């Protein structure tokens, strides 16, 4: 383990190039990402408000969805404003402290979302496979415990991984061909031994992804088996529709992760990696509220009532 040289590291800056290689796209990309961010904020905050004020949506599924929207809002707000700033200013530098703050907050949100998606899969498993025990099994206390576990594991992982970065030394200003402060940014910029940091990243990243994915896949395996036992086509459709939105969100979330981190780097250009990262970091937080609102009649009805109330009040 290497202790950081604070005098050196405190003076070092990172320069996030982002999409500087495409100057003609700076303004169009700014407008595009600004629009996406606005939709993300309105969608996720609106989802939280609708679930909170509508008594019909006070069920475990919407309880988890409310916290998922909160995590998506926080994650997008952590990254997107700096991305927008780098598209319109010449100075693309960011201090190590600022970069570490963005990284630690992002890690908390990403890992919390992983655990939250796993908890939502378990909720759908109980609802479909054990409907008579659903109210007892998914009690408010147990749901609160699952959400607390999600936030706690996200925070613990963030603290450990952030500490693994703080023990690194940075000896000179580093130009980074990226737009976000990812773990690889710090490792590539470090001039000290990275072994400890790499081990911590491997353990916590893989442990979180593997465990949550196993829970999700196991839950849906039992769900599909239970659905196949339903004789009527209508009954099967109704059972599957209760988890369709969540399954779509999980597929997009983990599919993007697999695309970014499981394909060998030699087969990917920097542009492909950047586009994939943009989708993962900026677009997915926007898609989640859209997926759940467009595929869920209860949520659509709640949004419609909220808009009608605002029009009448004006």
């Amino acid at each position: 383990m290497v202790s950081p040289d604070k005098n050196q590291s405190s003076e070092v800056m990172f320069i996030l190039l982002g999409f500087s290689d495409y100057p003609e796209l700076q303004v169009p990309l700014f407008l595009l990402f600004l629009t996406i961010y606005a939709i993300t904020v309105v969608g996720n905050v609106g989802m939280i408000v609708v679930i909170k004020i509508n008594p019909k949506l006070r069920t475990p599924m919407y309880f988890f969805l409310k916290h998922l929207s909160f995590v998506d809002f926080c994650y997008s707000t952590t990254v997107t404003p700096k991305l927008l700033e780098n598209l319109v200013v010449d100075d693309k530098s960011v201090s190590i402290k600022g970069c570490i703050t963005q990284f630690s907050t992002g890690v908390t949100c990403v890992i919390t979302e992983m655990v939250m998606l796993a908890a939502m899969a378990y909720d759908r498993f109980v609802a479909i496979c054990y409907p008579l025990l659903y109210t007892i099994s998914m009690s408010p206390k147990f749901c609160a415990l699952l959400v607390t576990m999600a936030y706690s594991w996200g925070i613990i992982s963030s603290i450990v991984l952030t500490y693994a970065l703080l023990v690194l030394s940075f000896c000179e200003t580093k130009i980074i061909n990226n737009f976000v402060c990812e773990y690889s940014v710090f490792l590539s910029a470090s001039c000290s031994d990275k072994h400890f940091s790499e081990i911590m990243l491997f353990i916590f990243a893989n442990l979180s992804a593997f465990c949550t994915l196993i829970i999700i896949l196991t839950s849906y395996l039992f769900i599909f088996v239970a659905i196949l036992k339903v004789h009527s086509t209508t009954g099967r459709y109704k059972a599957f529709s209760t988890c369709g939105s969540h399954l779509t969100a999980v597929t997009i979330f983990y599919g993007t992760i697999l695309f970014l981190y499981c394909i060998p780097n030699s087969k990917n250009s920097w542009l492909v990696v950047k586009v994939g990262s943009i989708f993962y970091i900026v677009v997915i937080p926007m898609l989640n509220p859209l997926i759940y609102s467009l595929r869920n009649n209860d949520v659509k009805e709640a949004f419609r009532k909220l808009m009608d109330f605002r029009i009448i009040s004006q």
Side-chain angles (χ1 to χ4, degrees):
M1 188 183 303
V2 180
S3 298
D5 185 336
K6 294 182 180 179
N7 292 330
Q8 288 180 321
S9 296
S10 61
E11 299 173 358
V12 175
M13 301 289 288
F14 290 159
I15 300 175
L16 300 176
L17 293 181
F19 293 91
S20 300
D21 295 338
Y22 307 93
E24 70 280 2
L25 296 178
Q26 300 292 297
V27 173
L29 286 175
F30 175 83
L31 296 175
L32 174 62
F33 295 149
L34 180 61
T35 302
I36 292 175
Y37 180 60
I39 296 173
T40 300
V41 172
V42 172
N44 285 290
V45 173
M47 184 71 73
I48 295 171
V49 172
V50 164
I51 293 174
K52 193 171 183 63
I53 66 176
N54 195 315
K56 190 177 180 180
L57 302 182
R58 291 173 186 172
T59 63
M61 181 176 69
Y62 296 110
F63 176 74
F64 293 128
L65 180 56
K66 178 176 65 176
H67 286 278
L68 182 67
S69 296
F70 174 72
V71 172
D72 281 335
F73 167 76
C74 291
Y75 188 34
S76 181
T77 301
T78 298
V79 177
T80 309
K82 185 61 179 178
L83 169 61
L84 293 173
E85 178 186 341
N86 282 350
L87 286 171
V88 295
V89 300
D90 295 328
D91 182 11
K92 303 181 186 301
S93 63
V94 57
S95 67
I96 288 183
K97 289 182 179 179
C99 219
I100 289 179
T101 299
Q102 185 191 78
F103 168 79
S104 61
T105 306
V107 168
T108 302
C109 293
V110 170
I111 295 184
T112 298
E113 181 156 346
M114 286 183 179
V115 182
M116 204 77 70
L117 289 172
M120 296 173 74
Y122 177 76
D123 171 71
R124 293 299 84 205
F125 158 72
V126 176
I128 293 175
C129 298
Y130 301 99
L132 298 179
L133 299 176
Y134 181 72
T135 304
I136 299 174
S137 300
M138 301 302 295
S139 64
K141 288 185 178 180
F142 183 67
C143 292
L145 176 63
L146 291 178
V147 169
T148 301
M149 289 174 57
Y151 285 115
S152 298
W153 182 245
I155 293 172
I156 290 172
S157 299
S158 176
I159 291 173
V160 173
L161 292 178
T162 301
Y163 172 75
L165 295 180
L166 293 175
V167 301
L168 296 174
S169 294
F170 305 94
C171 304
E172 60 182 8
T173 297
K174 187 75 174 180
I175 297 176
I176 306 296
N177 192 13
N178 208 328
F179 62 89
V180 64
C181 296
E182 293 183 327
Y183 213 81
S184 59
V185 169
F186 298 97
L187 295 181
S188 64
S190 173
C191 57
S192 60
D193 183 18
K194 309 165 189 174
H195 185 64
F196 172 74
S197 302
E198 291 172 340
I199 290 177
M200 290 298 100
L201 173 64
F202 179 83
I203 292 175
F204 278 84
N206 286 281
L207 181 64
S208 300
F210 180 77
C211 291
T212 54
L213 193 56
I214 287 296
I215 293 173
I216 292 170
L217 293 177
T218 303
S219 297
Y220 275 105
L221 176 62
F222 283 105
I223 288 172
F224 290 142
V225 171
I227 290 176
L228 291 176
K229 292 180 180 179
V230 178
H231 298 292
S232 67
T233 304
T234 303
R236 288 181 180 179
Y237 176 78
K238 184 177 180 180
F240 185 76
S241 64
T242 62
C243 55
S245 298
H246 177 259
L247 187 58
T248 302
V250 166
T251 302
I252 294 174
F253 183 82
Y254 281 94
T256 307
I257 291 177
L258 292 175
F259 172 78
L260 284 174
Y261 299 108
C262 292
I263 298 177
N265 289 333
S266 59
K267 296 182 180 180
N268 291 280
S269 67
W270 273 108
L271 178 59
V272 174
V273 173
K274 286 181 182 179
V275 172
S277 299
I278 283 290
F279 188 82
Y280 172 66
I281 296 171
V282 179
V283 178
I284 287 181
M286 176 193 69
L287 289 180
N288 281 341
L290 294 177
I291 291 170
Y292 282 98
S293 60
L294 293 176
R295 295 179 61 91
N296 192 299
N297 292 328
D298 291 335
V299 175
K300 286 192 289 186
E301 182 63 26
F303 268 113
R304 192 178 299 112
K305 289 182 178 179
L306 179 63
M307 295 304 298
D308 292 341
F309 174 77
R310 290 185 60 184
I311 294 173
I312 293 174
S313 63
Q314 291 176 355

